[in-house]
Amino acid sequence: MAMDASEETLRRAMSDKQAAVDAQGNTVRDLKASGAAKADIDAAVEALNALKLEKSSIEKQLQATITGGSDVGTLSRDAFRQAVGNTLERRLFYIPSFKIYRGVAGLYDYGPPGCAVKANVLAFWRQHFVLEENMLEVDCPCVTPEVVLKASGHVEKFTDLMVKDEKTGTCYRADHLLKDFCKEKLEKDLNMDAEKAAELKQILAILDDLSAEELGAKIKKYGIVAPDTKNPLSDPYPFNLMFQTSIGPSGLIPGYMRPETAQGIFVNFKDLYYFNGNKLPFAAAQIGQAFRNEISPRQGLLRVREFTLAEIEHFVDPEDKSHPKFGDIAHLEFLMFPRTEQTSGQSAKRMCLGDAVYEGIVNNQTLGYFIGRVYLFLTQLGIDKERLRFRQHLANEMAHYAADCWDAEIECSYGWIECVGIADRSAYDLRAHSEKSGVPLVAHEKFSEPKEVEKVVIAPVKKELGLAFKGNQKNVVEALEVMDEKEAMEMKSILESKGEVEFHVCTLGKVVTIKKSMVTISKEKKKEHQRTFTPSVIEPSFGIGRIIYCLFEHSFYTRPSKAGDEQLNVFRFPSLVAPIKCTVFPLVQNQQYEEVAKQISLSLTAAGISHKIDITGTSIGKRYARTDELGVPLAITVDSTSSVTIRERDSKDQIRVSVEAVASVVKEVTDGSSTWTDVSWRFPAHSHVSIDE
Amino acid sequence: MAMDASEETLRRAMSDKQAAVDAQGNTVRDLKASGAAKADIDAAVEALNALKLEKSSIEKQLQATITGGSDVGTLSRDAFRQAVGNTLERRLFYIPSFKIYRGVAGLYDYGPPGCAVKANVLAFWRQHFVLEENMLEVDCPCVTPEVVLKASGHVEKFTDLMVKDEKTGTCYRADHLLKDFCKEKLEKDLNMDAEKAAELKQILAILDDLSAEELGAKIKKYGIVAPDTKNPLSDPYPFNLMFQTSIGPSGLIPGYMRPETAQGIFVNFKDLYYFNGNKLPFAAAQIGQAFRNEISPRQGLLRVREFTLAEIEHFVDPEDKSHPKFGDIAHLEFLMFPRTEQTSGQSAKRMCLGDAVYEGIVNNQTLGYFIGRVYLFLTQLGIDKERLRFRQHLANEMAHYAADCWDAEIECSYGWIECVGIADRSAYDLRAHSEKSGVPLVAHEKFSEPKEVEKVVIAPVKKELGLAFKGNQKNVVEALEVMDEKEAMEMKSILESKGEVEFHVCTLGKVVTIKKSMVTISKEKKKEHQRTFTPSVIEPSFGIGRIIYCLFEHSFYTRPSKAGDEQLNVFRFPSLVAPIKCTVFPLVQNQQYEEVAKQISLSLTAAGISHKIDITGTSIGKRYARTDELGVPLAITVDSTSSVTIRERDSKDQIRVSVEAVASVVKEVTDGSSTWTDVSWRFPAHSHVSIDE
């Protein structure tokens, strides 16, 4: 059962109504702020309450629709989440890790069906991105020496501000506490004065920019206490989110478990560029584990301490970010949420990707191309396109060096969740590693004919440098030679005025004194045969676990059992992600049927279709329910030795097919070359009215 | 070019000659030991030297054969290793990790072709083991809390003894230094007296059993110093090989990066058994990263600090270790090296697996079944079956609880390398976690009719225990209840004689005093409806990186270029593991040929064949050489618009095929449904004598 029309309509209505509620809320506050007449304010508040009532009614209808028409009008987001979670845990899609030892927050195992879904998602990712685009896939270790993560900035900046319960020592994220406080106030206290409301909204807007001192001051000001105990809180202080360790027996090489897979690609840029024939653009990709020692994991499978990332680093000439295949995806239309819509309080809107790039809303074609490819990837997996949007980062969310950044956000019971980040990070990462390692990570563009340019020429006087720095001479020479034009001209002017200059040599980790006699710096006209530049990198980064969790929620529904006495759970996974493609059930336990089942199993194996035989003696109805809970698209029931039935999970329709033909029919449907509707025309329907189900 | 007959013969001869050298070496020592006449000893030494000369001559012929008949008679193991290593590193099969920062010992990246080979090996592993045997695959985190690894014994025992250079602080493995010393003495000092030789051989035999004190004493006795500096060494002390970290912000939850994936399966036994319908036997499997903080990594890709393991835990009733599919593999014959052959100085011998199990050399059918399946897995990947043997662990190598253990060892330039361990670990792991967690990890066998048995009944007196232990009462009660028969009867007799007893409660981590009034213990006759037992586990554990490295060595050969002026490198990968299956070369750069190449590329994609178009203008010979170095089995050259040539990598034979047929021919050959010989009969050969190559 694909999402039906009424569900789609209700979702649209919900989203519209939410926007209306938000807008009316603003009107009420504005009226108060402008000192409007009490009667006007009261009327506006009344209108607001009416809108809220309407929204709540739509919400109830929607919940009822999602849950298959059952009478659970009061099923809240929490109850829905609980229902999905129970099914997932009972059928071992996932298991809290180390459960027999009472587990560890933020760590989960994938059990057999979850593991199969994950393997399918990753195989499709490889197919859709790596193979389709000829990307260079690499596989780097998780253990990473400190120097790499110092260069990337993680050692210094990959922190969250933390506060401790002063009595129990329990740790909390300071920004979460302040955010929760502001949101609750704004939602519940409608009679708050306008000034206060504006203040709280302002805090929410700048939350990510607040320093430890500012956060601490606000926590004090509002009297925020530990949520569990109401005890006072410590001042906020930074906590680095990387798991730290030590490499080798000496204890002298600090290391971390990587917080992302990207750095492994950046440090290999030089070799990968060579491998690609010294040509741009090209992309490298990596799938692997990443680690974040979250202060207090919440949101179940969405915020975990170890997770699988799939990352792409697409290296491109900063002067040409066009993409040859942009035309393939320019026609796509989907929900986008540009910066201006966010800051002006509007909602996400359906846009054509080609227009968004043409109008400059998306910074460049390559970034746009990946947004389109990510859209196709997620919707083909089974993510509901009405609950998927691409949200542009606000200016204060983005790193200073980033050119543009869009998150693929998926709506689930926890709200809109960032599942893929697609960022144009300009030349930041390669520059950072060039500087720290002293190895230039650059690309070249050969000119068809030489160009005359004015260039700074830096000529270190090796004899003088050798006398002054002995064994360190080489490092100093190299550091002088890699100065950019601005640095070199500054040095030249200081040397001319003062005769010497302090100079920081990265690779030595110290400052040395350079005298005028040690280097000559001049500007010369030169013929250049090529341009040397640091490539920009466009990085789509996929949180595989988050995507899978959202997929679970979007695929889940319940429907009443035949007797109507219980709700049955179904995952409407597309064949692509279903943990197995079909099950084989001998109707009753007898040798003949089991032989036929084995024969079918062999032909399914030969056709490369993952499947399982279930020869337990339980009723066929129970076996169907079990297979529906695992999201298996097709079930074959052996009820004769010549022909069998194939049942489709969501329609529950059955067709009768000869034993010889069954594998090829299942293959057609599960590999997508035919739809279920196509094949059900070709074969006789099996009566629904049977004692079986 | 598959391994030709002469190479196979030479390898056999080498192996025989090595055995003869070893045997004659023993004879010489025995003669000396027995005080034989000098003339006899001299004759024996002369025979030994003659054997060594013969061996060295065979070795040279073999090297020449491996390297394609080139005149490199002096190519030693080291030179061969260097040649493979250079090719692997130049073509980015692997890259020392964090190379621009001068790397970290024991950490390597897989570059694009290495990554593809690894993905192919893992996909085949899943196909061959998980799907074929319906195993339950799980995926658990690497970060593991201490309690789990305390239960498994890793916190206490996963250590190597380490010595430090007293001046530089450089660390070494103590056993490695002693082993190197003994081996070198035994090899180089043939005139050593018999007593001394016996002593050194004895040390090698018991090396793994030596305590820190014993190792230290021997290092002192032989005056072993730091190999790099000749400085004195510290006393040996244990170094735990796990990477340690801390979970969460409090710093109070110690954790480790898992040293193996198996524990994640054991702790989930209860859920997995339920998932399998509470039936034995069943197997669970896991592929993932594991971590060992090696003291001083050596042997390149073979001993690394982070690696991919693929592990199977097959749970079975200890009273019935038969396997229903044993018959499928019982006929297999290959090199086995049982315990008795090792201790009596014989070599590995070709045995029939069915006989080995029948004669009790291999402990049971299930263990034998996995040995056979591992043999098929490795040889289908391309491991040379003449350089693969299954070696049984000696009694002193095995853990006390293990029933039997066999390593699949592959010979490469570093010697015989353990790549897969296949162990019957009995009930050890499940028992250890049952005890530590208090959660019974057991299975049940329902009796067809109840049996009468005499059973110990333990009845804790909760009131007395509550008074004595208050909040800890539950832990004490549970600990009393899980005592086995022997423990309970011992407690009974002490309580009867002394009135009280000291009792260790695991879950409290302390000893408490139990008085006679607190528990009654008696023997009663009972009717039992089921047997409850801890399953045995049979564990095949695959070091994926080691297998891949050995595969690289076994697949590598060189052959002279057409002009004879250089050696070209080739990897003879089977299609199954080749990083891509074919390349497409337009013979010259023109639009017509490039159009045809694109058309072929589309049909290859449709047939699901990974491939690459190479439109660089370099000569076709150079492009063939490049593709051979990556081990690509087939190359398509577009030299007309109607038909093209397909060239096979090892024979260099070419056939001419129409543009329409090319994809299906490539598919036939690469998916193994036809051999190259089959298809080359069906199509006209393309003349070898061309200007192209």
Side-chain angles (χ1 to χ4, degrees):
Chain A
M1 183 175 84
M3 190 170 80
D4 63 21
S6 66
E7 184 179 338
E8 210 157 347
T9 315
L10 285 166
R11 286 207 181 281
R12 289 245 178 80
M14 259 297 280
S15 151
D16 293 345
K17 203 57 76 183
Q18 180 64 55
V21 167
D22 293 347
Q24 186 65 18
N26 287 331
T27 307
V28 170
R29 288 206 186 85
D30 291 346
L31 283 173
K32 287 178 181 170
S34 66
K38 188 178 178 297
D40 291 347
I41 296 177
D42 285 349
V45 168
E46 208 173 302
L48 176 60
N49 289 338
L51 283 169
K52 283 188 175 173
L53 255 175
E54 288 168 32
K55 188 191 129 200
S56 138
S57 144
I58 298 170
E59 189 164 25
K60 279 181 191 161
Q61 288 175 58
L62 179 59
Q63 296 290 7
T65 308
I66 294 172
T67 53
S70 72
D71 184 23
V72 280
T74 52
L75 195 67
S76 65
R77 283 190 161 200
D78 285 348
F80 175 78
R81 186 191 302 155
Q82 194 103 42
V84 185
N86 285 347
T87 309
L88 290 173
E89 217 170 319
R90 191 160 37 77
R91 301 314 304 268
L92 295 199
F93 279 90
Y94 73 89
I95 310 161
S97 301
F98 317 114
K99 197 168 125 182
I100 61 170
Y101 294 102
R102 294 186 203 93
V104 174
L107 294 178
Y108 292 90
D109 301 344
Y110 289 93
C115 206
V117 168
K118 184 180 171 190
N120 292 338
V121 169
L122 290 178
F124 181 56
W125 192 87
R126 264 204 183 98
Q127 178 63 45
H128 186 81
F129 293 105
V130 178
L131 294 182
E132 183 71 29
E133 316 280 347
N134 259 311
M135 292 176 180
L136 307 181
E137 190 178 347
V138 300
D139 181 7
C140 310
C142 301
V143 174
T144 305
E146 187 174 52
V147 61
V148 173
L149 295 159
K150 273 195 168 161
S152 69
H154 285 91
V155 171
E156 197 191 341
K157 290 181 187 152
F158 194 63
T159 55
D160 276 342
L161 290 168
M162 178 161 89
V163 288
K164 267 194 183 173
D165 181 318
E166 286 198 338
K167 290 188 182 154
T168 66
T170 307
C171 303
Y172 302 94
R173 265 181 68 169
D175 59 340
H176 279 179
L177 295 188
L178 183 57
K179 187 178 173 183
D180 292 349
F181 171 83
C182 295
K183 279 199 156 179
E184 207 181 311
K185 275 278 173 199
L186 283 169
E187 274 168 26
K188 300 206 172 150
D189 187 359
L190 275 180
N191 295 314
M192 188 190 306
D193 70 56
E195 206 179 328
K196 183 72 180 280
E199 182 184 311
L200 296 185
K201 281 164 86 177
Q202 170 67 4
I203 290 174
L204 287 175
I206 60 163
L207 199 62
D208 289 345
D209 295 334
L210 293 179
S211 68
E213 290 70 29
E214 289 165 334
L215 259 176
K218 302 234 179 289
I219 285 173
K220 279 228 169 58
K221 177 174 171 189
Y222 299 122
I224 300 173
V225 291
D228 304 318
T229 60
K230 312 298 171 204
N231 289 334
L233 294 165
S234 73
D235 286 334
Y237 59 98
F239 173 73
N240 194 300
L241 297 177
M242 292 192 292
F243 283 98
Q244 192 170 7
T245 190
S246 170
I247 306 173
S250 68
L252 299 176
I253 310 175
Y256 299 91
M257 303 313 297
R258 64 180 176 193
E260 57 176 34
T261 69
Q263 303 307 322
I265 296 176
F266 296 136
V267 299
N268 281 323
F269 172 78
K270 202 176 158 180
D271 281 342
L272 294 171
Y273 180 58
Y274 172 78
F275 189 82
N276 198 52
N278 292 329
K279 283 198 177 63
L280 281 188
F282 74 90
Q286 182 166 200
I287 298 172
Q289 295 302 90
F291 304 81
R292 298 190 188 185
N293 195 8
E294 295 288 348
I295 291 172
S296 51
R298 43 187 195 178
Q299 301 188 313
L301 290 171
L302 293 175
R303 188 168 290 279
V304 292
R305 285 175 165 152
E306 180 175 341
F307 46 94
T308 302
L309 279 184
E311 296 192 295
I312 295 166
E313 309 298 329
H314 180 93
F315 298 102
V316 63
D317 185 337
E319 293 178 9
D320 177 13
K321 294 181 179 175
S322 65
H323 196 289
K325 287 159 80 182
F326 183 71
D328 296 355
I329 50 83
H331 65 285
L332 291 174
E333 273 190 32
F334 45 79
L335 283 180
M336 299 188 79
F337 201 6
R339 201 172 289 149
T340 45
E341 271 68 14
Q342 295 171 56
T343 48
S344 64
Q346 300 172 60
S347 355
K349 59 181 183 184
R350 181 169 301 273
M351 291 178 76
C352 167
L353 184 54
D355 296 343
V357 172
Y358 181 73
E359 291 164 19
I361 296 170
V362 171
N363 183 282
N364 59 70
Q365 275 194 3
T366 300
L367 193 62
Y369 179 72
F370 280 111
I371 290 175
R373 293 290 296 166
V374 168
Y375 173 80
L376 292 175
F377 173 73
L378 293 173
T379 50
Q380 283 174 43
L381 280 183
I383 291 296
D384 176 359
K385 60 181 188 296
E386 300 301 322
R387 288 194 278 168
L388 166 62
R389 72 180 183 195
F390 288 81
R391 189 182 70 79
Q392 189 173 31
H393 276 204
L394 297 176
N396 67 347
E397 278 180 278
M398 269 195 327
H400 61 92
Y401 48 77
D404 195 6
C405 185
W406 292 75
D407 286 343
E409 294 185 333
I410 305 177
E411 197 194 19
C412 73
S413 66
Y414 293 99
W416 287 96
I417 300 299
E418 174 199 345
C419 290
V420 186
I422 310 157
D424 182 336
R425 301 175 52 82
S426 75
Y428 176 78
D429 308 280
L430 292 181
R431 281 225 181 97
H433 285 297
S434 288
E435 277 168 25
K436 190 83 177 176
S437 68
V439 175
L441 303 177
V442 293
H444 305 281
E445 182 204 3
K446 291 221 159 52
F447 298 139
S448 47
E449 51 188 74
K451 288 186 188 173
E452 184 158 287
V453 289
E454 204 184 41
K455 266 211 89 168
V456 165
V457 176
I458 301 164
V461 181
K462 295 198 179 163
K463 198 184 143 197
E464 295 286 326
L465 290 162
L467 284 170
F469 302 113
K470 308 216 166 58
N472 292 336
Q473 179 200 352
K474 193 160 160 275
N475 303 57
V476 178
V477 168
E478 281 172 0
L480 287 170
E481 285 173 346
V482 298
M483 283 190 294
D484 64 23
E485 180 165 334
K486 189 163 156 273
E487 289 170 315
M489 293 317 288
E490 275 173 21
M491 177 178 281
K492 182 182 166 74
S493 88
I494 299 176
L495 286 178
E496 276 164 12
S497 61
K498 301 196 179 154
E500 63 178 50
V501 62
E502 298 293 275
F503 179 58
H504 181 251
V505 181
C506 280
T507 52
L508 294 176
K510 65 177 182 183
V511 168
V512 300
T513 303
I514 300 291
K515 301 218 167 100
K516 202 174 169 185
S517 59
M518 294 176 184
V519 61
T520 55
I521 297 172
S522 56
K523 276 209 169 177
E524 285 178 20
K525 285 207 167 142
K526 268 198 157 184
K527 283 218 164 169
E528 292 228 316
H529 297 266
Q530 63 177 13
R531 178 171 74 96
T532 300
F533 60 94
T534 305
S536 279
V537 62
I538 289 167
E539 176 189 87
S541 171
F542 299 69
I544 297 298
R546 289 184 167 196
I547 294 171
I548 291 174
Y549 178 75
C550 291
L551 188 58
F552 287 155
E553 278 207 7
H554 286 203
S555 306
F556 183 80
Y557 65 98
T558 62
R559 58 186 176 199
S561 64
K562 197 139 192 138
D565 53 350
E566 55 177 332
Q567 285 295 314
L568 302 175
N569 308 308
V570 191
F571 283 106
R572 63 165 88 80
F573 297 132
S575 295
L576 183 67
V577 296
I580 55 170
K581 307 313 170 205
C582 89
T583 36
V584 185
F585 302 140
L587 180 60
V588 290
Q589 283 183 313
N590 78 35
Q591 211 190 332
Q592 266 190 324
Y593 288 179
E594 284 176 20
E595 280 305 317
V596 175
K598 273 185 197 156
Q599 189 186 330
I600 291 173
S601 168
L602 285 175
S603 60
L604 289 171
T605 302
I609 298 163
S610 60
H611 63 280
K612 206 165 189 174
I613 305 186
D614 181 348
I615 51 162
T616 52
T618 44
S619 79
I620 198 75
K622 281 216 174 112
R623 282 186 276 172
Y624 282 150
R626 217 144 63 182
T627 198
D628 291 344
E629 271 200 339
L630 289 174
V632 182
L634 301 174
I636 299 166
T637 301
V638 179
D639 55 0
S640 97
T641 54
S642 56
S643 73
V644 297
T645 70
I646 307 180
R647 170 203 186 252
E648 195 272 334
R649 176 193 60 210
D650 298 305
S651 64
K652 297 194 276 178
D653 285 342
Q654 296 179 45
I655 55 172
R656 180 156 286 283
V657 179
S658 73
V659 169
E660 292 70 35
V662 69
S664 74
V665 172
V666 170
K667 188 168 172 60
E668 261 181 71
V669 175
T670 54
D671 75 6
S673 56
S674 297
T675 65
W676 173 252
T677 317
D678 294 340
V679 302
S680 54
W681 277 101
R682 292 188 352 236
F683 295 93
H686 182 72
S687 161
H688 256 196
V689 193
S690 77
I691 51 157
D692 311 334
E693 197 178 359
Chain B
M1 183 175 84
M3 191 170 80
D4 63 21
S6 67
E7 183 180 339
E8 211 157 347
T9 315
L10 284 167
R11 287 208 180 280
R12 290 246 178 80
M14 257 297 280
S15 150
D16 293 346
K17 203 57 77 182
Q18 179 63 54
V21 168
D22 293 346
Q24 187 64 19
N26 288 332
T27 308
V28 171
R29 287 205 186 86
D30 290 346
L31 284 173
K32 287 178 181 171
S34 65
K38 187 178 177 298
D40 290 348
I41 296 177
D42 285 350
V45 169
E46 209 173 302
L48 176 60
N49 289 337
L51 283 168
K52 284 189 174 172
L53 254 175
E54 288 168 33
K55 188 192 128 199
S56 135
S57 142
I58 297 169
E59 189 164 25
K60 280 182 189 159
Q61 288 173 60
L62 179 58
Q63 297 289 9
T65 307
I66 294 172
T67 53
S70 71
D71 184 23
V72 279
T74 53
L75 195 66
S76 65
R77 282 189 160 201
D78 286 347
F80 175 77
R81 184 191 303 156
Q82 192 104 42
V84 185
N86 285 347
T87 309
L88 290 173
E89 217 169 320
R90 191 161 36 77
R91 300 315 304 271
L92 296 199
F93 279 89
Y94 73 89
I95 310 161
S97 301
F98 318 112
K99 199 169 127 184
I100 61 170
Y101 294 102
R102 293 187 205 92
V104 175
L107 293 179
Y108 293 91
D109 301 343
Y110 288 93
C115 205
V117 168
K118 184 180 171 191
N120 292 337
V121 168
L122 291 177
F124 181 54
W125 192 87
R126 264 205 183 97
Q127 178 63 44
H128 186 81
F129 292 105
V130 180
L131 295 182
E132 184 71 28
E133 316 281 347
N134 259 313
M135 293 176 179
L136 306 182
E137 190 177 347
V138 299
D139 181 8
C140 310
C142 302
V143 173
T144 306
E146 188 174 52
V147 62
V148 174
L149 296 159
K150 272 193 169 162
S152 69
H154 284 92
V155 171
E156 197 190 342
K157 289 180 188 153
F158 194 63
T159 56
D160 277 341
L161 290 167
M162 177 161 89
V163 288
K164 266 195 184 172
D165 180 319
E166 287 199 336
K167 290 189 182 153
T168 66
T170 307
C171 303
Y172 302 94
R173 266 182 66 169
D175 59 339
H176 279 179
L177 295 188
L178 183 58
K179 185 178 175 184
D180 292 349
F181 171 84
C182 294
K183 279 200 156 177
E184 206 183 312
K185 275 278 175 199
L186 284 169
E187 273 167 25
K188 300 206 171 152
D189 186 359
L190 276 180
N191 295 314
M192 189 190 306
D193 70 54
E195 205 178 328
K196 182 73 178 280
E199 181 183 315
L200 296 185
K201 280 165 85 177
Q202 171 65 7
I203 290 174
L204 287 176
I206 59 163
L207 200 61
D208 289 345
D209 294 333
L210 293 179
S211 68
E213 292 69 30
E214 289 164 334
L215 259 177
K218 302 234 179 288
I219 285 173
K220 280 229 168 58
K221 176 174 173 190
Y222 298 123
I224 299 174
V225 291
D228 304 318
T229 61
K230 312 298 170 204
N231 290 334
L233 294 166
S234 73
D235 286 334
Y237 59 98
F239 172 74
N240 193 301
L241 297 178
M242 292 193 291
F243 283 97
Q244 192 169 7
T245 191
S246 172
I247 305 172
S250 68
L252 300 174
I253 311 173
Y256 299 91
M257 303 312 298
R258 64 179 175 195
E260 57 176 33
T261 68
Q263 302 307 323
I265 296 176
F266 297 136
V267 299
N268 281 323
F269 172 78
K270 201 175 158 183
D271 281 342
L272 294 171
Y273 179 58
Y274 173 77
F275 189 82
N276 199 53
N278 292 329
K279 284 199 176 62
L280 281 188
F282 74 91
Q286 181 166 199
I287 298 172
Q289 294 302 91
F291 304 82
R292 298 191 188 186
N293 195 8
E294 295 288 349
I295 292 172
S296 51
R298 44 188 197 177
Q299 301 188 313
L301 290 172
L302 293 175
R303 188 167 289 280
V304 291
R305 287 176 164 152
E306 179 176 340
F307 45 94
T308 302
L309 279 184
E311 296 192 296
I312 295 165
E313 310 298 329
H314 181 93
F315 298 100
V316 63
D317 186 337
E319 291 177 10
D320 177 12
K321 294 183 180 174
S322 66
H323 196 288
K325 286 159 80 180
F326 183 71
D328 296 355
I329 50 84
H331 67 284
L332 291 174
E333 271 189 34
F334 45 79
L335 284 179
M336 298 189 81
F337 202 6
R339 204 172 285 150
T340 46
E341 272 65 15
Q342 296 170 56
T343 48
S344 64
Q346 300 171 59
S347 355
K349 60 180 183 183
R350 180 169 300 273
M351 292 178 76
C352 167
L353 185 53
D355 296 343
V357 172
Y358 182 74
E359 291 165 19
I361 297 170
V362 172
N363 183 283
N364 59 70
Q365 275 194 2
T366 299
L367 194 62
Y369 179 72
F370 280 111
I371 291 175
R373 293 290 296 167
V374 169
Y375 172 80
L376 292 175
F377 172 73
L378 293 173
T379 51
Q380 282 175 43
L381 280 183
I383 292 295
D384 176 359
K385 60 181 189 296
E386 299 302 321
R387 288 193 278 168
L388 166 63
R389 71 181 183 195
F390 288 81
R391 190 181 70 78
Q392 190 173 29
H393 276 204
L394 298 175
N396 67 347
E397 278 178 277
M398 264 191 336
H400 62 93
Y401 48 78
D404 194 6
C405 185
W406 292 77
D407 286 342
E409 295 185 332
I410 305 177
E411 197 195 20
C412 73
S413 66
Y414 293 100
W416 287 95
I417 300 300
E418 174 201 344
C419 291
V420 187
I422 310 157
D424 182 337
R425 301 174 54 81
S426 73
Y428 175 77
D429 307 281
L430 292 182
R431 283 227 178 95
H433 286 296
S434 289
E435 279 168 25
K436 190 83 178 176
S437 68
V439 175
L441 302 177
V442 294
H444 306 281
E445 183 204 4
K446 291 218 159 51
F447 299 138
S448 45
E449 51 189 75
K451 287 184 187 174
E452 182 158 288
V453 289
E454 202 183 43
K455 265 210 89 169
V456 166
V457 176
I458 302 165
V461 181
K462 294 199 178 163
K463 196 183 143 197
E464 295 287 326
L465 290 163
L467 284 169
F469 302 115
K470 308 208 166 63
N472 292 335
Q473 179 199 355
K474 193 161 161 276
N475 302 61
V476 178
V477 168
E478 281 172 1
L480 287 168
E481 284 174 346
V482 299
M483 282 191 294
D484 63 22
E485 178 165 337
K486 190 164 156 273
E487 289 169 316
M489 293 317 288
E490 275 173 20
M491 178 178 280
K492 182 181 168 70
S493 89
I494 299 176
L495 285 178
E496 276 163 11
S497 61
K498 301 197 179 154
E500 63 177 52
V501 61
E502 298 291 277
F503 180 58
H504 181 250
V505 181
C506 279
T507 51
L508 294 176
K510 67 177 183 185
V511 169
V512 299
T513 303
I514 300 292
K515 302 214 167 104
K516 205 177 168 184
S517 58
M518 295 177 184
V519 62
T520 55
I521 298 171
S522 56
K523 275 207 169 179
E524 286 178 17
K525 283 206 171 147
K526 270 199 158 179
K527 282 215 166 171
E528 293 226 317
H529 297 264
Q530 62 177 13
R531 177 171 73 96
T532 299
F533 60 94
T534 304
S536 279
V537 61
I538 289 168
E539 175 189 87
S541 169
F542 299 70
I544 297 297
R546 288 184 168 195
I547 293 170
I548 291 175
Y549 178 75
C550 291
L551 187 59
F552 287 154
E553 278 206 7
H554 287 201
S555 305
F556 183 80
Y557 65 98
T558 63
R559 58 187 175 198
S561 64
K562 195 136 193 139
D565 52 350
E566 56 177 331
Q567 286 294 314
L568 302 175
N569 308 308
V570 190
F571 284 106
R572 61 165 91 79
F573 297 132
S575 294
L576 183 67
V577 294
I580 55 172
K581 308 311 171 204
C582 89
T583 36
V584 185
F585 302 141
L587 181 60
V588 290
Q589 284 182 312
N590 77 36
Q591 210 190 331
Q592 266 190 324
Y593 288 180
E594 285 176 20
E595 281 305 317
V596 175
K598 274 184 197 157
Q599 189 187 330
I600 291 173
S601 168
L602 285 175
S603 59
L604 290 169
T605 302
I609 298 162
S610 60
H611 63 280
K612 205 165 189 176
I613 304 186
D614 181 347
I615 52 160
T616 52
T618 44
S619 79
I620 197 75
K622 281 213 173 117
R623 281 184 278 172
Y624 283 150
R626 221 146 55 183
T627 199
D628 291 345
E629 271 199 339
L630 290 174
V632 182
L634 300 174
I636 298 166
T637 301
V638 179
D639 56 359
S640 95
T641 54
S642 56
S643 73
V644 298
T645 70
I646 307 180
R647 169 203 186 253
E648 194 273 334
R649 176 192 61 208
D650 297 305
S651 64
K652 296 195 277 181
D653 287 339
Q654 296 179 45
I655 55 172
R656 181 156 284 283
V657 179
S658 73
V659 169
E660 292 70 34
V662 68
S664 74
V665 172
V666 170
K667 186 165 174 60
E668 264 182 69
V669 175
T670 54
D671 75 6
S673 56
S674 298
T675 66
W676 174 252
T677 318
D678 293 341
V679 300
S680 54
W681 278 101
R682 290 188 352 235
F683 295 93
H686 182 73
S687 161
H688 256 194
V689 193
S690 77
I691 51 158
D692 311 335
E693 196 179 359

